[in-house]
Amino acid sequence: PRTLSLEAVDIGQGDALLMRVPGGDATLIDTGLTPYSARRLARVLSRRGVREPLHLVVTHPHGDHAGGWSTLARLRPLASTAIAATAGGPEDWEPYVPRELAARATPLVRGAAWNRGGAAFSVRWPPVPLGLPDPNMVSAVLRVRWRDRELWLMGDALQIQERDLLDLGEPGAGPFHRLLKVGHHGSRRASDPAWIAALRPVVAVIPAGRHNRFEHPHPETLEALAAAGLPAPWITGPCAGVRVAAVPGGWAMETGDGGTMVPIDGYQPE
């Protein structure tokens, strides 16, 4: 790839994000809900010409993020697998994958960091392995920095976790063109207005299935994003997937329904 890109694959109501960077391995964050999601991801990887090693991060033990993991591991070699650290360890993942698959994965807590092709990945949540009643509360939150870009991939983190991140000094200052992968599919339980105001993203992406039964994204979240001055977020279902690429001066967006690249944040196409 010639530039950093993040693709929110349309796999229905769930998360599956493909990140690529020049000179580095590819990273897949979450696998969607079902074996169908995994097969869809395998086709996308093939269509995109992903020949570099592929690393998997699964943000938390919920079916709409982990449901395709086992099938994907069978269909595609994975260079590494990492998961959010939970108090229950591999047992917490048993509803979705065999225990031995989860046992081989690297648990992630705040401070874990690695580099791929000049992109610096850092885990910002959870702070320690947590045992909480809602798995969304232990969802891994990733920050990715590449040149003057910063991406916040919120998994299914809720407002309480966003306020905890603020208490921990996040997101910090910096001359970054920020992208936000909105937490919890744009539900009213995520996207605290104080977090959005502190983050000041210039573009937001929401993985949510078309006509999903939860009615994600909720109006409250869309209002919070609009109040922060963001343009309308990009939603995977209605767009048939969304691909974001770093371009000089900002971001460019491409939709899976045949939409052309749309400039964001000052970028002007030649």
Side-chain angles (χ1 to χ4, degrees):
R2 297 181 178 180
T3 187
L4 175 143
S5 67
L6 179 74
E7 181 170 1
V9 180
D10 181 18
I11 44 81
Q13 182 64 14
D15 272 26
L17 308 173
L18 172 63
M19 178 174 292
R20 302 182 73 189
V21 293
D25 295 353
T27 303
L28 187 66
I29 300 101
D30 290 326
T31 63
L33 181 62
T34 64
Y36 161 80
S37 304
R39 290 190 287 271
R40 164 80 172 145
L41 287 171
R43 290 194 296 270
V44 168
L45 292 167
S46 176
R47 188 170 65 246
R48 292 296 186 197
V50 177
R51 297 180 179 88
E52 63 268 32
L54 179 66
H55 302 262
L56 175 64
V57 176
V58 187
T59 57
H60 63 294
H62 257 171
D64 56 338
H65 294 250
W69 178 4
S70 289
T71 302
L72 183 70
R74 177 173 53 83
L75 295 175
R76 180 85 183 206
L78 298 174
S80 72
T81 302
I83 57 178
T86 61
E91 291 184 8
D92 289 338
W93 300 84
E94 280 192 289
Y96 313 109
V97 297
R99 182 188 295 200
E100 58 270 20
L101 195 61
R104 292 197 298 267
T106 301
L108 298 176
V109 294
R110 180 178 172 86
W114 61 92
N115 293 302
R116 289 188 186 131
F121 290 72
S122 179
V123 179
R124 313 315 294 163
W125 189 268
V128 296
L130 296 172
L132 297 173
D134 185 345
N136 293 323
M137 294 180 173
V138 304
S139 178
V141 173
L142 301 181
R143 184 192 68 200
V144 183
R145 287 176 173 171
W146 183 78
R147 300 181 183 176
D148 62 346
R149 312 306 158 104
E150 189 174 87
L151 298 83
W152 283 82
L153 311 179
M154 302 300 296
D156 270 3
L158 305 178
Q159 288 189 359
I160 188 169
Q161 281 70 56
E162 293 167 343
R163 291 191 289 269
D164 288 341
L165 287 169
L166 289 171
D167 291 342
L168 290 168
E170 304 290 4
F176 297 109
H177 299 273
R178 279 180 171 149
L179 178 150
L180 171 65
K181 198 294 293 185
V182 174
H184 200 228
H185 316 285
S187 86
R188 62 177 59 90
R189 300 177 63 203
S191 301
D192 186 279
W195 171 248
I196 302 300
L199 194 62
R200 298 179 62 191
V202 297
V203 63
V205 175
I206 302 178
R210 187 178 181 88
H211 303 310
N212 67 83
R213 64 187 178 91
F214 305 101
E215 300 183 346
H216 294 156
H218 289 150
E220 296 91 331
T221 296
L222 301 178
E223 290 166 5
L225 295 172
L230 270 79
W234 299 78
I235 306 169
T236 55
C239 293
V242 178
R243 181 172 176 267
V244 193
V247 292
W251 302 95
M253 317 292 294
E254 182 180 13
T255 60
D257 58 3
T260 56
M261 298 295 277
V262 177
I264 300 290
D265 191 30
Y267 164 63
Q268 295 297 326
E270 296 179 359

